[in-house]
Amino acid sequence: MTAVTVRTAIAGDLDGVVASCSALFAEDAGTRDPLRNKNWPATYGGEWARGLLADPESLVLVATTDVVVGHLIGKFLTASEMWTAPRAELVSMYVRPETRGGGVAGLLIDGFVAWARERGAARLEVNAYAANETALRVYERRGFRRHSVLLTTD
C-alpha cells in the first residue's frame, strides 16, 4: 500500500473532500437512513467544505496518497449556558475501502483528538449508525464509549 499522509486540508483538496463525503453518504447514510439525501454532498458539499476551511472552529483533515483517500471533519463547540464545558464533535469521517485496515482511520481520529484537546475540549463526541459495527469498533478502539441512544420512528 502507498504511504498515506494525514494533514489539514487546503483549498486544493476540496474536490477530494467532496468526493470522500459523497462516498460516505452513498455507503453509510444512503444505505442506513432512507431520509438522508445521498446527493447532498455533490450539490452542496463544495460550498459547505469551503465554509469549514474558513471556520476557525472547524477542522478538516485529509488522508492522502497522490489523491484524497479519506477525510475527517470536526467542530469545536464552546461552553455555553447549556453546556458547562467545551466539546468537540467528530462530524464526518470516511476512508476509501481499498485503504482500510492500514490504520488510516486511527490516524485521522488521533489528529482530531489532538486538535480538540489543544483547544480545551472536555468531551469528544461522534455519532454513528447503530448498524455500522465497523465504525463503532474503530471509535471504541480510540477511547470513545457509548453514551446515549437515538431512537427513531418513521
Side-chain angles (χ1 to χ4, degrees):
M1 181 168 80
T2 305
V4 176
T5 301
V6 172
R7 60 174 172 73
T8 302
I10 59 173
D13 297 319
L14 284 176
D15 288 345
V17 171
V18 171
S20 189
C21 287
S22 292
L24 173 63
F25 268 58
E27 179 181 323
D28 193 35
T31 61
R32 293 184 171 94
D33 191 341
L35 299 181
R36 187 68 73 149
N37 177 359
K38 290 189 287 190
N39 298 316
W40 185 89
T43 305
Y44 303 103
E47 181 181 337
W48 180 64
R50 268 189 296 285
L52 292 169
L53 288 181
D55 180 1
E57 302 299 320
S58 295
L59 171 71
V60 182
L61 296 177
V62 289
T64 64
T65 54
D66 53 336
V67 297
V68 172
V69 297
H71 79 276
L72 181 145
I73 295 170
K75 251 337 230 177
F76 185 78
L77 308 162
T78 59
S80 66
E81 290 77 18
M82 181 184 290
W83 294 95
T84 61
R87 299 164 295 126
E89 179 184 2
L90 194 164
V91 175
S92 174
M93 185 177 76
Y94 183 77
V95 176
R96 285 187 187 178
E98 66 272 15
T99 309
R100 293 177 190 164
V104 175
L107 293 173
L108 287 164
I109 295 168
D110 291 349
F112 167 73
V113 170
W115 172 82
R117 295 295 186 213
E118 286 170 9
R119 298 179 62 84
R123 176 181 292 160
L124 283 60
E125 305 169 346
V126 61
N127 283 304
Y129 287 102
N132 192 342
E133 287 294 330
T134 301
L136 293 169
R137 277 193 306 276
V138 167
Y139 295 131
E140 288 173 342
R141 276 192 222 120
R142 285 297 198 261
F144 289 85
R145 297 293 169 250
R146 296 174 196 225
H147 179 73
S148 65
V149 176
L150 173 68
L151 304 173
T152 64
T153 183
D154 293 340

